[in-house]
Amino acid sequence: MTADFDLTGRRVLVTGGGDGLGRQMTGAFVDAGATVVICGRRPEPLERTAAELSNVIPVRADVTVPADVEHLVTEAGPIDVLVNNAGLAHRAPWPEAKAEDWRWIMQLNVEAPFTLFQKFVPGMIERGWGRVINVASVYGLVGGDASRYPGIGLDIASYFASKHALVGLTRFLAAQVGPSGVTVNALCPGMFPSPANDDALQPEVIDALERGTPMGRLGTDRELRSAVLFLAAPASSFVTGQSLAVDGGWTVW
């Protein structure tokens, strides 16, 4: 069974792979034997991750900029596992949300994953094997509960819309490439501590999040790594079009 989780000889692309959850995923793929290409807009976290881990290739690229995408395609080469992890949220009360901010979030969180699918999946189909993992969120599955964020709230309408859209896109694309040997799945994490949300995770917020999770705690690095590795590995060969919630039961309430 160990071979079912072996990625030796595989080439993985993780967008936003230099820090946060992307950095954790990158480490999991390296440990499984893969060569990992990571990209992002900021060179510092990319270079730091490449220095800390073996078999990591950093490429500075903004996945919303066409010229950067073409550069990424050239530098990355043929990819076996595409992890669309890059994403952001924009905070604004919904009556005040501006169209340009909304479009930017949709461009990054939905359009960019689709563009990279177009660029890299035809090669996977030709080779008869591939994995696409779209990192959505539990907020691609539910409507959200603002009481879990005391003093902060959930004024991120475009984020919710984009992650629901990404889950829908995952299902559509999985059906399109079903017979090809390429699987397409969404990973939907609950709350995992990372530098991106350190400021929000004040004691009262952590307490509310834990009380809102059936398992009564936040997720750990190991639990995220195990989930993404499963979706990338040969072990998941009969799993496609699914949204794997790794959330301690968050979405069952």
Side-chain angles (χ1 to χ4, degrees):
M1 293 295 293
T2 303
D4 285 342
F5 294 89
D6 185 8
L7 292 176
T8 300
R10 297 296 185 184
R11 197 170 177 92
V12 180
L13 169 60
V14 182
T15 67
D19 56 6
L21 300 187
R23 169 63 172 77
Q24 297 176 24
M25 296 175 194
T26 297
F29 296 132
V30 168
D31 288 346
T35 297
V36 186
V37 180
I38 59 174
C39 75
R41 293 178 296 168
R42 295 175 295 123
E44 294 80 7
L46 300 175
E47 293 166 359
R48 183 170 58 250
T49 295
E52 293 171 350
L53 299 173
S54 61
N55 298 321
V56 171
I57 301 169
V59 180
R60 201 221 67 80
D62 182 336
V63 292
T64 67
V65 176
D68 281 14
V69 170
E70 294 303 324
H71 173 66
L72 176 60
V73 170
T74 300
E75 293 296 313
I79 292 296
D80 300 300
V81 180
L82 169 62
V83 183
N84 283 310
N85 169 69
L88 289 173
H90 177 76
R91 186 172 297 279
W94 64 264
E96 302 169 15
K98 297 180 180 179
E100 57 266 30
D101 295 328
W102 180 280
R103 294 187 187 110
W104 159 243
I105 294 300
M106 297 299 289
Q107 184 181 14
L108 176 59
N109 292 2
V110 185
E111 293 178 26
F114 181 60
T115 297
L116 294 180
F117 189 95
Q118 291 177 311
K119 297 294 184 181
F120 288 107
V121 171
M124 297 180 190
I125 293 172
E126 289 179 6
R127 296 187 294 275
W129 196 96
R131 300 284 186 268
V132 179
I133 304 169
N134 293 321
V135 180
S137 164
V138 290
Y139 289 146
L141 304 173
V142 298
D145 179 358
S147 69
R148 300 187 189 192
Y149 300 90
I152 301 174
L154 273 177
D155 291 325
I156 48 174
S158 57
Y159 183 81
F160 273 80
S162 69
K163 294 304 185 180
H164 274 76
L166 189 57
V167 167
L169 181 63
T170 296
R171 292 172 177 165
F172 173 80
L173 294 175
Q176 294 299 302
V177 302
S180 69
V182 178
T183 66
V184 188
N185 291 288
L187 179 66
C188 301
M191 180 54 72
F192 285 82
S194 78
N197 53 37
D198 279 349
D199 291 342
L201 290 179
Q202 300 301 313
E204 63 274 17
V205 175
I206 293 175
D207 180 66
L209 290 169
E210 291 177 343
R211 285 186 285 106
T213 303
M215 292 188 72
R217 63 177 178 83
L218 307 185
T220 68
D221 173 77
R222 187 179 184 89
E223 289 162 336
L224 180 72
R225 288 161 57 101
S226 298
V228 75
L229 181 57
F230 167 70
L231 292 178
S236 62
S237 57
F238 201 53
V239 178
T240 197
Q242 302 305 304
S243 300
L244 177 59
V246 187
D247 65 353
W250 183 307
T251 50
V252 302
W253 278 351

PDB file of all heavy atoms in Angstrom, residues 15-53:
ATOM      1  N   THR A  15       0.615  26.355  -7.005  1.00  0.00           N
ATOM      2  CA  THR A  15       0.544  27.814  -7.070  1.00  0.00           C
ATOM      3  C   THR A  15       0.403  28.344  -5.641  1.00  0.00           C
ATOM      4  O   THR A  15      -0.248  27.735  -4.801  1.00  0.00           O
ATOM      5  CB  THR A  15      -0.634  28.286  -7.935  1.00  0.00           C
ATOM      6  OG1 THR A  15      -1.877  27.948  -7.316  1.00  0.00           O
ATOM      7  CG2 THR A  15      -0.571  27.656  -9.321  1.00  0.00           C
ATOM      8  N   GLY A  16       1.053  29.463  -5.378  1.00  0.00           N
ATOM      9  CA  GLY A  16       1.074  29.958  -4.005  1.00  0.00           C
ATOM     10  C   GLY A  16       1.774  28.990  -3.077  1.00  0.00           C
ATOM     11  O   GLY A  16       1.417  28.859  -1.894  1.00  0.00           O
ATOM     12  N   GLY A  17       2.807  28.324  -3.579  1.00  0.00           N
ATOM     13  CA  GLY A  17       3.460  27.253  -2.825  1.00  0.00           C
ATOM     14  C   GLY A  17       4.568  27.693  -1.897  1.00  0.00           C
ATOM     15  O   GLY A  17       5.194  26.853  -1.249  1.00  0.00           O
ATOM     16  N   GLY A  18       4.812  28.997  -1.804  1.00  0.00           N
ATOM     17  CA  GLY A  18       5.940  29.463  -1.010  1.00  0.00           C
ATOM     18  C   GLY A  18       5.646  29.670   0.451  1.00  0.00           C
ATOM     19  O   GLY A  18       6.568  29.688   1.272  1.00  0.00           O
ATOM     20  N   ASP A  19       4.365  29.845   0.804  1.00  0.00           N
ATOM     21  CA  ASP A  19       4.051  30.074   2.209  1.00  0.00           C
ATOM     22  C   ASP A  19       2.638  29.591   2.513  1.00  0.00           C
ATOM     23  O   ASP A  19       1.925  29.100   1.633  1.00  0.00           O
ATOM     24  CB  ASP A  19       4.211  31.553   2.591  1.00  0.00           C
ATOM     25  CG  ASP A  19       3.368  32.482   1.729  1.00  0.00           C
ATOM     26  OD1 ASP A  19       2.575  31.982   0.905  1.00  0.00           O
ATOM     27  OD2 ASP A  19       3.498  33.706   1.871  1.00  0.00           O
ATOM     28  N   GLY A  20       2.236  29.711   3.778  1.00  0.00           N
ATOM     29  CA  GLY A  20       0.901  29.304   4.186  1.00  0.00           C
ATOM     30  C   GLY A  20       0.630  27.832   3.947  1.00  0.00           C
ATOM     31  O   GLY A  20       1.523  26.984   4.065  1.00  0.00           O
ATOM     32  N   LEU A  21      -0.608  27.529   3.580  1.00  0.00           N
ATOM     33  CA  LEU A  21      -0.982  26.139   3.334  1.00  0.00           C
ATOM     34  C   LEU A  21      -0.230  25.571   2.139  1.00  0.00           C
ATOM     35  O   LEU A  21       0.070  24.370   2.093  1.00  0.00           O
ATOM     36  CB  LEU A  21      -2.494  26.033   3.104  1.00  0.00           C
ATOM     37  CG  LEU A  21      -3.408  26.511   4.242  1.00  0.00           C
ATOM     38  CD1 LEU A  21      -4.859  26.175   3.926  1.00  0.00           C
ATOM     39  CD2 LEU A  21      -2.996  25.916   5.577  1.00  0.00           C
ATOM     40  N   GLY A  22       0.087  26.413   1.152  1.00  0.00           N
ATOM     41  CA  GLY A  22       0.839  25.944   0.000  1.00  0.00           C
ATOM     42  C   GLY A  22       2.213  25.422   0.379  1.00  0.00           C
ATOM     43  O   GLY A  22       2.698  24.438  -0.189  1.00  0.00           O
ATOM     44  N   ARG A  23       2.851  26.073   1.345  1.00  0.00           N
ATOM     45  CA  ARG A  23       4.161  25.607   1.834  1.00  0.00           C
ATOM     46  C   ARG A  23       4.022  24.245   2.490  1.00  0.00           C
ATOM     47  O   ARG A  23       4.885  23.367   2.315  1.00  0.00           O
ATOM     48  CB  ARG A  23       4.718  26.642   2.826  1.00  0.00           C
ATOM     49  CG  ARG A  23       5.930  26.199   3.625  1.00  0.00           C
ATOM     50  CD  ARG A  23       7.131  25.918   2.743  1.00  0.00           C
ATOM     51  NE  ARG A  23       8.329  25.682   3.513  1.00  0.00           N
ATOM     52  CZ  ARG A  23       8.613  24.539   4.168  1.00  0.00           C
ATOM     53  NH1 ARG A  23       7.754  23.530   4.105  1.00  0.00           N
ATOM     54  NH2 ARG A  23       9.742  24.407   4.840  1.00  0.00           N
ATOM     55  N   GLN A  24       2.955  24.018   3.241  1.00  0.00           N
ATOM     56  CA  GLN A  24       2.740  22.723   3.867  1.00  0.00           C
ATOM     57  C   GLN A  24       2.535  21.631   2.818  1.00  0.00           C
ATOM     58  O   GLN A  24       3.080  20.524   2.927  1.00  0.00           O
ATOM     59  CB  GLN A  24       1.535  22.801   4.801  1.00  0.00           C
ATOM     60  CG  GLN A  24       1.714  23.774   5.968  1.00  0.00           C
ATOM     61  CD  GLN A  24       0.468  23.908   6.819  1.00  0.00           C
ATOM     62  OE1 GLN A  24      -0.372  23.029   6.853  1.00  0.00           O
ATOM     63  NE2 GLN A  24       0.343  25.035   7.505  1.00  0.00           N
ATOM     64  N   MET A  25       1.760  21.943   1.791  1.00  0.00           N
ATOM     65  CA  MET A  25       1.520  20.979   0.731  1.00  0.00           C
ATOM     66  C   MET A  25       2.802  20.661  -0.019  1.00  0.00           C
ATOM     67  O   MET A  25       3.082  19.497  -0.345  1.00  0.00           O
ATOM     68  CB  MET A  25       0.470  21.524  -0.234  1.00  0.00           C
ATOM     69  CG  MET A  25      -0.900  21.739   0.376  1.00  0.00           C
ATOM     70  SD  MET A  25      -2.016  22.523  -0.820  1.00  0.00           S
ATOM     71  CE  MET A  25      -3.347  23.029   0.261  1.00  0.00           C
ATOM     72  N   THR A  26       3.590  21.690  -0.294  1.00  0.00           N
ATOM     73  CA  THR A  26       4.859  21.483  -0.987  1.00  0.00           C
ATOM     74  C   THR A  26       5.736  20.504  -0.220  1.00  0.00           C
ATOM     75  O   THR A  26       6.333  19.591  -0.805  1.00  0.00           O
ATOM     76  CB  THR A  26       5.586  22.824  -1.170  1.00  0.00           C
ATOM     77  OG1 THR A  26       4.784  23.682  -2.007  1.00  0.00           O
ATOM     78  CG2 THR A  26       6.943  22.639  -1.810  1.00  0.00           C
ATOM     79  N   GLY A  27       5.814  20.665   1.085  1.00  0.00           N
ATOM     80  CA  GLY A  27       6.597  19.750   1.908  1.00  0.00           C
ATOM     81  C   GLY A  27       6.102  18.317   1.814  1.00  0.00           C
ATOM     82  O   GLY A  27       6.906  17.371   1.787  1.00  0.00           O
ATOM     83  N   ALA A  28       4.787  18.138   1.748  1.00  0.00           N
ATOM     84  CA  ALA A  28       4.223  16.790   1.645  1.00  0.00           C
ATOM     85  C   ALA A  28       4.630  16.125   0.338  1.00  0.00           C
ATOM     86  O   ALA A  28       4.989  14.938   0.312  1.00  0.00           O
ATOM     87  CB  ALA A  28       2.702  16.856   1.751  1.00  0.00           C
ATOM     88  N   PHE A  29       4.595  16.878  -0.753  1.00  0.00           N
ATOM     89  CA  PHE A  29       4.951  16.306  -2.052  1.00  0.00           C
ATOM     90  C   PHE A  29       6.442  15.967  -2.122  1.00  0.00           C
ATOM     91  O   PHE A  29       6.829  14.950  -2.702  1.00  0.00           O
ATOM     92  CB  PHE A  29       4.559  17.267  -3.170  1.00  0.00           C
ATOM     93  CG  PHE A  29       3.080  17.497  -3.283  1.00  0.00           C
ATOM     94  CD1 PHE A  29       2.567  18.782  -3.392  1.00  0.00           C
ATOM     95  CD2 PHE A  29       2.200  16.443  -3.290  1.00  0.00           C
ATOM     96  CE1 PHE A  29       1.212  19.010  -3.495  1.00  0.00           C
ATOM     97  CE2 PHE A  29       0.831  16.647  -3.392  1.00  0.00           C
ATOM     98  CZ  PHE A  29       0.341  17.932  -3.488  1.00  0.00           C
ATOM     99  N   VAL A  30       7.268  16.827  -1.555  1.00  0.00           N
ATOM    100  CA  VAL A  30       8.706  16.543  -1.519  1.00  0.00           C
ATOM    101  C   VAL A  30       8.960  15.264  -0.735  1.00  0.00           C
ATOM    102  O   VAL A  30       9.726  14.389  -1.157  1.00  0.00           O
ATOM    103  CB  VAL A  30       9.478  17.727  -0.911  1.00  0.00           C
ATOM    104  CG1 VAL A  30      10.921  17.337  -0.602  1.00  0.00           C
ATOM    105  CG2 VAL A  30       9.448  18.927  -1.857  1.00  0.00           C
ATOM    106  N   ASP A  31       8.307  15.124   0.406  1.00  0.00           N
ATOM    107  CA  ASP A  31       8.484  13.921   1.222  1.00  0.00           C
ATOM    108  C   ASP A  31       8.036  12.664   0.492  1.00  0.00           C
ATOM    109  O   ASP A  31       8.545  11.573   0.745  1.00  0.00           O
ATOM    110  CB  ASP A  31       7.697  14.052   2.529  1.00  0.00           C
ATOM    111  CG  ASP A  31       8.322  15.053   3.492  1.00  0.00           C
ATOM    112  OD1 ASP A  31       9.489  15.447   3.271  1.00  0.00           O
ATOM    113  OD2 ASP A  31       7.643  15.443   4.462  1.00  0.00           O
ATOM    114  N   ALA A  32       7.081  12.808  -0.434  1.00  0.00           N
ATOM    115  CA  ALA A  32       6.581  11.662  -1.193  1.00  0.00           C
ATOM    116  C   ALA A  32       7.426  11.366  -2.420  1.00  0.00           C
ATOM    117  O   ALA A  32       7.106  10.448  -3.183  1.00  0.00           O
ATOM    118  CB  ALA A  32       5.132  11.908  -1.606  1.00  0.00           C
ATOM    119  N   GLY A  33       8.496  12.152  -2.641  1.00  0.00           N
ATOM    120  CA  GLY A  33       9.433  11.857  -3.717  1.00  0.00           C
ATOM    121  C   GLY A  33       9.286  12.690  -4.961  1.00  0.00           C
ATOM    122  O   GLY A  33      10.013  12.465  -5.944  1.00  0.00           O
ATOM    123  N   ALA A  34       8.381  13.663  -4.967  1.00  0.00           N
ATOM    124  CA  ALA A  34       8.134  14.459  -6.177  1.00  0.00           C
ATOM    125  C   ALA A  34       9.123  15.612  -6.311  1.00  0.00           C
ATOM    126  O   ALA A  34       9.721  16.065  -5.332  1.00  0.00           O
ATOM    127  CB  ALA A  34       6.710  15.011  -6.159  1.00  0.00           C
ATOM    128  N   THR A  35       9.262  16.092  -7.532  1.00  0.00           N
ATOM    129  CA  THR A  35       9.871  17.394  -7.793  1.00  0.00           C
ATOM    130  C   THR A  35       8.733  18.404  -7.833  1.00  0.00           C
ATOM    131  O   THR A  35       7.713  18.172  -8.482  1.00  0.00           O
ATOM    132  CB  THR A  35      10.607  17.396  -9.139  1.00  0.00           C
ATOM    133  OG1 THR A  35      11.683  16.456  -9.081  1.00  0.00           O
ATOM    134  CG2 THR A  35      11.148  18.776  -9.468  1.00  0.00           C
ATOM    135  N   VAL A  36       8.889  19.514  -7.125  1.00  0.00           N
ATOM    136  CA  VAL A  36       7.786  20.459  -6.964  1.00  0.00           C
ATOM    137  C   VAL A  36       8.172  21.830  -7.509  1.00  0.00           C
ATOM    138  O   VAL A  36       9.164  22.425  -7.075  1.00  0.00           O
ATOM    139  CB  VAL A  36       7.361  20.589  -5.490  1.00  0.00           C
ATOM    140  CG1 VAL A  36       6.110  21.462  -5.374  1.00  0.00           C
ATOM    141  CG2 VAL A  36       7.100  19.217  -4.878  1.00  0.00           C
ATOM    142  N   VAL A  37       7.381  22.317  -8.453  1.00  0.00           N
ATOM    143  CA  VAL A  37       7.504  23.682  -8.943  1.00  0.00           C
ATOM    144  C   VAL A  37       6.531  24.536  -8.129  1.00  0.00           C
ATOM    145  O   VAL A  37       5.357  24.182  -7.997  1.00  0.00           O
ATOM    146  CB  VAL A  37       7.156  23.780 -10.442  1.00  0.00           C
ATOM    147  CG1 VAL A  37       7.284  25.219 -10.928  1.00  0.00           C
ATOM    148  CG2 VAL A  37       8.045  22.844 -11.257  1.00  0.00           C
ATOM    149  N   ILE A  38       7.028  25.618  -7.559  1.00  0.00           N
ATOM    150  CA  ILE A  38       6.162  26.515  -6.807  1.00  0.00           C
ATOM    151  C   ILE A  38       6.191  27.890  -7.460  1.00  0.00           C
ATOM    152  O   ILE A  38       7.220  28.322  -7.975  1.00  0.00           O
ATOM    153  CB  ILE A  38       6.563  26.612  -5.329  1.00  0.00           C
ATOM    154  CG1 ILE A  38       8.003  27.107  -5.167  1.00  0.00           C
ATOM    155  CG2 ILE A  38       6.373  25.265  -4.637  1.00  0.00           C
ATOM    156  CD1 ILE A  38       8.430  27.360  -3.723  1.00  0.00           C
ATOM    157  N   CYS A  39       5.052  28.569  -7.452  1.00  0.00           N
ATOM    158  CA  CYS A  39       5.018  29.908  -8.031  1.00  0.00           C
ATOM    159  C   CYS A  39       4.247  30.840  -7.107  1.00  0.00           C
ATOM    160  O   CYS A  39       3.462  30.421  -6.256  1.00  0.00           O
ATOM    161  CB  CYS A  39       4.396  29.894  -9.424  1.00  0.00           C
ATOM    162  SG  CYS A  39       2.603  29.702  -9.454  1.00  0.00           S
ATOM    163  N   GLY A  40       4.487  32.120  -7.293  1.00  0.00           N
ATOM    164  CA  GLY A  40       3.820  33.149  -6.517  1.00  0.00           C
ATOM    165  C   GLY A  40       4.279  34.505  -7.000  1.00  0.00           C
ATOM    166  O   GLY A  40       5.214  34.626  -7.804  1.00  0.00           O
ATOM    167  N   ARG A  41       3.642  35.541  -6.493  1.00  0.00           N
ATOM    168  CA  ARG A  41       3.987  36.896  -6.911  1.00  0.00           C
ATOM    169  C   ARG A  41       5.213  37.434  -6.198  1.00  0.00           C
ATOM    170  O   ARG A  41       5.923  38.290  -6.727  1.00  0.00           O
ATOM    171  CB  ARG A  41       2.800  37.834  -6.670  1.00  0.00           C
ATOM    172  CG  ARG A  41       1.603  37.550  -7.557  1.00  0.00           C
ATOM    173  CD  ARG A  41       0.440  38.470  -7.238  1.00  0.00           C
ATOM    174  NE  ARG A  41      -0.063  38.252  -5.890  1.00  0.00           N
ATOM    175  CZ  ARG A  41      -0.906  39.065  -5.270  1.00  0.00           C
ATOM    176  NH1 ARG A  41      -1.324  40.162  -5.873  1.00  0.00           N
ATOM    177  NH2 ARG A  41      -1.326  38.786  -4.047  1.00  0.00           N
ATOM    178  N   ARG A  42       5.468  36.947  -4.975  1.00  0.00           N
ATOM    179  CA  ARG A  42       6.580  37.458  -4.164  1.00  0.00           C
ATOM    180  C   ARG A  42       7.746  36.469  -4.195  1.00  0.00           C
ATOM    181  O   ARG A  42       7.573  35.296  -3.853  1.00  0.00           O
ATOM    182  CB  ARG A  42       6.121  37.683  -2.726  1.00  0.00           C
ATOM    183  CG  ARG A  42       5.056  38.770  -2.594  1.00  0.00           C
ATOM    184  CD  ARG A  42       4.534  38.874  -1.167  1.00  0.00           C
ATOM    185  NE  ARG A  42       3.823  37.667  -0.777  1.00  0.00           N
ATOM    186  CZ  ARG A  42       4.130  36.918   0.270  1.00  0.00           C
ATOM    187  NH1 ARG A  42       5.161  37.225   1.040  1.00  0.00           N
ATOM    188  NH2 ARG A  42       3.419  35.845   0.566  1.00  0.00           N
ATOM    189  N   PRO A  43       8.929  36.908  -4.599  1.00  0.00           N
ATOM    190  CA  PRO A  43      10.051  35.976  -4.714  1.00  0.00           C
ATOM    191  C   PRO A  43      10.586  35.483  -3.372  1.00  0.00           C
ATOM    192  O   PRO A  43      11.097  34.359  -3.302  1.00  0.00           O
ATOM    193  CB  PRO A  43      11.122  36.784  -5.466  1.00  0.00           C
ATOM    194  CG  PRO A  43      10.773  38.215  -5.214  1.00  0.00           C
ATOM    195  CD  PRO A  43       9.277  38.263  -5.091  1.00  0.00           C
ATOM    196  N   GLU A  44      10.477  36.283  -2.316  1.00  0.00           N
ATOM    197  CA  GLU A  44      11.117  35.923  -1.046  1.00  0.00           C
ATOM    198  C   GLU A  44      10.621  34.593  -0.484  1.00  0.00           C
ATOM    199  O   GLU A  44      11.445  33.711  -0.165  1.00  0.00           O
ATOM    200  CB  GLU A  44      10.941  37.037  -0.012  1.00  0.00           C
ATOM    201  CG  GLU A  44      11.655  38.335  -0.342  1.00  0.00           C
ATOM    202  CD  GLU A  44      10.897  39.194  -1.335  1.00  0.00           C
ATOM    203  OE1 GLU A  44       9.740  38.845  -1.678  1.00  0.00           O
ATOM    204  OE2 GLU A  44      11.453  40.221  -1.780  1.00  0.00           O
ATOM    205  N   PRO A  45       9.306  34.378  -0.327  1.00  0.00           N
ATOM    206  CA  PRO A  45       8.882  33.083   0.212  1.00  0.00           C
ATOM    207  C   PRO A  45       9.194  31.913  -0.711  1.00  0.00           C
ATOM    208  O   PRO A  45       9.465  30.800  -0.245  1.00  0.00           O
ATOM    209  CB  PRO A  45       7.369  33.248   0.409  1.00  0.00           C
ATOM    210  CG  PRO A  45       6.985  34.426  -0.398  1.00  0.00           C
ATOM    211  CD  PRO A  45       8.172  35.314  -0.457  1.00  0.00           C
ATOM    212  N   LEU A  46       9.186  32.160  -2.017  1.00  0.00           N
ATOM    213  CA  LEU A  46       9.539  31.096  -2.961  1.00  0.00           C
ATOM    214  C   LEU A  46      10.982  30.664  -2.764  1.00  0.00           C
ATOM    215  O   LEU A  46      11.292  29.461  -2.682  1.00  0.00           O
ATOM    216  CB  LEU A  46       9.336  31.570  -4.394  1.00  0.00           C
ATOM    217  CG  LEU A  46       7.925  32.004  -4.812  1.00  0.00           C
ATOM    218  CD1 LEU A  46       7.950  32.568  -6.228  1.00  0.00           C
ATOM    219  CD2 LEU A  46       6.951  30.840  -4.715  1.00  0.00           C
ATOM    220  N   GLU A  47      11.871  31.648  -2.687  1.00  0.00           N
ATOM    221  CA  GLU A  47      13.294  31.340  -2.541  1.00  0.00           C
ATOM    222  C   GLU A  47      13.582  30.703  -1.186  1.00  0.00           C
ATOM    223  O   GLU A  47      14.419  29.793  -1.077  1.00  0.00           O
ATOM    224  CB  GLU A  47      14.112  32.612  -2.725  1.00  0.00           C
ATOM    225  CG  GLU A  47      14.030  33.155  -4.154  1.00  0.00           C
ATOM    226  CD  GLU A  47      14.557  34.570  -4.279  1.00  0.00           C
ATOM    227  OE1 GLU A  47      14.981  35.142  -3.237  1.00  0.00           O
ATOM    228  OE2 GLU A  47      14.525  35.129  -5.395  1.00  0.00           O
ATOM    229  N   ARG A  48      12.886  31.154  -0.149  1.00  0.00           N
ATOM    230  CA  ARG A  48      13.086  30.587   1.181  1.00  0.00           C
ATOM    231  C   ARG A  48      12.663  29.118   1.211  1.00  0.00           C
ATOM    232  O   ARG A  48      13.374  28.267   1.755  1.00  0.00           O
ATOM    233  CB  ARG A  48      12.304  31.392   2.215  1.00  0.00           C
ATOM    234  CG  ARG A  48      12.500  30.919   3.651  1.00  0.00           C
ATOM    235  CD  ARG A  48      11.902  31.901   4.636  1.00  0.00           C
ATOM    236  NE  ARG A  48      10.473  32.127   4.404  1.00  0.00           N
ATOM    237  CZ  ARG A  48       9.965  33.254   3.943  1.00  0.00           C
ATOM    238  NH1 ARG A  48      10.739  34.280   3.645  1.00  0.00           N
ATOM    239  NH2 ARG A  48       8.654  33.385   3.780  1.00  0.00           N
ATOM    240  N   THR A  49      11.518  28.821   0.624  1.00  0.00           N
ATOM    241  CA  THR A  49      11.042  27.438   0.595  1.00  0.00           C
ATOM    242  C   THR A  49      11.968  26.553  -0.220  1.00  0.00           C
ATOM    243  O   THR A  49      12.275  25.419   0.167  1.00  0.00           O
ATOM    244  CB  THR A  49       9.616  27.384   0.021  1.00  0.00           C
ATOM    245  OG1 THR A  49       8.737  28.082   0.910  1.00  0.00           O
ATOM    246  CG2 THR A  49       9.126  25.959  -0.135  1.00  0.00           C
ATOM    247  N   ALA A  50      12.445  27.067  -1.360  1.00  0.00           N
ATOM    248  CA  ALA A  50      13.369  26.293  -2.190  1.00  0.00           C
ATOM    249  C   ALA A  50      14.685  26.022  -1.470  1.00  0.00           C
ATOM    250  O   ALA A  50      15.310  24.974  -1.676  1.00  0.00           O
ATOM    251  CB  ALA A  50      13.627  27.021  -3.505  1.00  0.00           C
ATOM    252  N   ALA A  51      15.108  26.957  -0.605  1.00  0.00           N
ATOM    253  CA  ALA A  51      16.340  26.765   0.148  1.00  0.00           C
ATOM    254  C   ALA A  51      16.156  25.757   1.277  1.00  0.00           C
ATOM    255  O   ALA A  51      17.088  25.033   1.635  1.00  0.00           O
ATOM    256  CB  ALA A  51      16.823  28.097   0.718  1.00  0.00           C
ATOM    257  N   GLU A  52      14.949  25.686   1.802  1.00  0.00           N
ATOM    258  CA  GLU A  52      14.685  24.811   2.948  1.00  0.00           C
ATOM    259  C   GLU A  52      14.362  23.375   2.542  1.00  0.00           C
ATOM    260  O   GLU A  52      14.582  22.445   3.320  1.00  0.00           O
ATOM    261  CB  GLU A  52      13.525  25.367   3.773  1.00  0.00           C
ATOM    262  CG  GLU A  52      13.841  26.688   4.464  1.00  0.00           C
ATOM    263  CD  GLU A  52      12.622  27.335   5.086  1.00  0.00           C
ATOM    264  OE1 GLU A  52      11.485  26.854   4.827  1.00  0.00           O
ATOM    265  OE2 GLU A  52      12.788  28.322   5.814  1.00  0.00           O
ATOM    266  N   LEU A  53      13.835  23.193   1.333  1.00  0.00           N
ATOM    267  CA  LEU A  53      13.404  21.876   0.885  1.00  0.00           C
ATOM    268  C   LEU A  53      14.179  21.460  -0.362  1.00  0.00           C
ATOM    269  O   LEU A  53      14.543  22.295  -1.182  1.00  0.00           O
ATOM    270  CB  LEU A  53      11.910  21.876   0.563  1.00  0.00           C
ATOM    271  CG  LEU A  53      10.951  22.217   1.711  1.00  0.00           C
ATOM    272  CD1 LEU A  53       9.531  22.336   1.183  1.00  0.00           C
ATOM    273  CD2 LEU A  53      11.030  21.164   2.809  1.00  0.00           C
TER     274      LEU A  53
END
